[in-house]
Amino acid sequence: QVQLVQSGGGSVYSGGSLRLSCKISDYFANSYCVGWFRQAPNKEREGVASIDSDGRASYAESAKGRFTISRSSNNTLYLQMNNLNPDDTAMYYCAADHWSQHTREIVVASPTCKVNYWTQGTQVTVSS
């Protein structure tokens, strides 16, 4: 079953932390990479972080040192976000690649991570 089930998000003040979670179904068991991207109004979509099948993590410059991506043994993807600031305000999407999808792709944090399935997103709002 094609499922990416995302949870987390919400509102915090500058300097606060949030954690996003995403349960990944077995459909994506052979994905090369999974990750997170975000979209804010009037801003370009940004691939925030990704992790490949070898466990290598990649981050956007804006996320380095503040965000941590991880994947649990039960196929839950996490994005720990610390020291948040208003520029982090956006819809955040959990995403994965699947070999069967060829009509769309988004590059997430690494040139080799091209995802083609994603969730409907969750809002993260950071107030100053």
Side-chain angles (χ1 to χ4, degrees):
Q1 191 174 7
V2 182
Q3 271 198 326
L4 298 169
V5 181
Q6 184 175 340
S7 60
S11 298
V12 294
Y13 288 104
S14 289
S17 299
L18 285 172
R19 189 175 80 160
L20 305 180
S21 302
C22 180
K23 179 64 176 174
I24 302 170
S25 71
D26 289 342
Y27 183 80
F28 298 101
N30 294 318
S31 292
Y32 170 71
C33 68
V34 291
W36 301 89
F37 66 89
R38 66 187 180 185
Q39 180 75 65
N42 301 316
K43 291 185 178 180
E44 288 192 10
R45 182 175 55 224
E46 181 180 30
V48 175
S50 63
I51 189 166
D52 68 17
S53 54
D54 291 325
R56 287 184 294 256
S58 299
Y59 296 94
E61 284 299 320
S62 62
K64 287 180 180 178
R66 301 186 302 126
F67 294 7
T68 303
I69 189 171
S70 61
R71 186 172 183 174
S72 71
S73 58
N74 67 347
N75 271 338
T76 300
L77 184 69
Y78 299 100
L79 185 67
Q80 177 66 43
M81 303 184 290
N82 297 328
N83 194 21
L84 287 160
N85 62 65
D87 288 338
D88 297 314
T89 295
M91 285 290 287
Y92 284 72
Y93 300 83
C94 170
D97 78 284
H98 194 274
W99 60 267
S100 66
Q101 175 56 254
H102 303 290
T103 61
R104 60 179 185 237
E105 68 178 26
I106 295 174
V107 176
V108 179
S110 165
T112 59
C113 184
K114 300 176 182 179
V115 297
N116 42 36
Y117 282 92
W118 46 86
T119 61
Q120 294 196 352
T122 187
Q123 179 68 37
V124 170
T125 302
V126 186
S127 302
S128 58

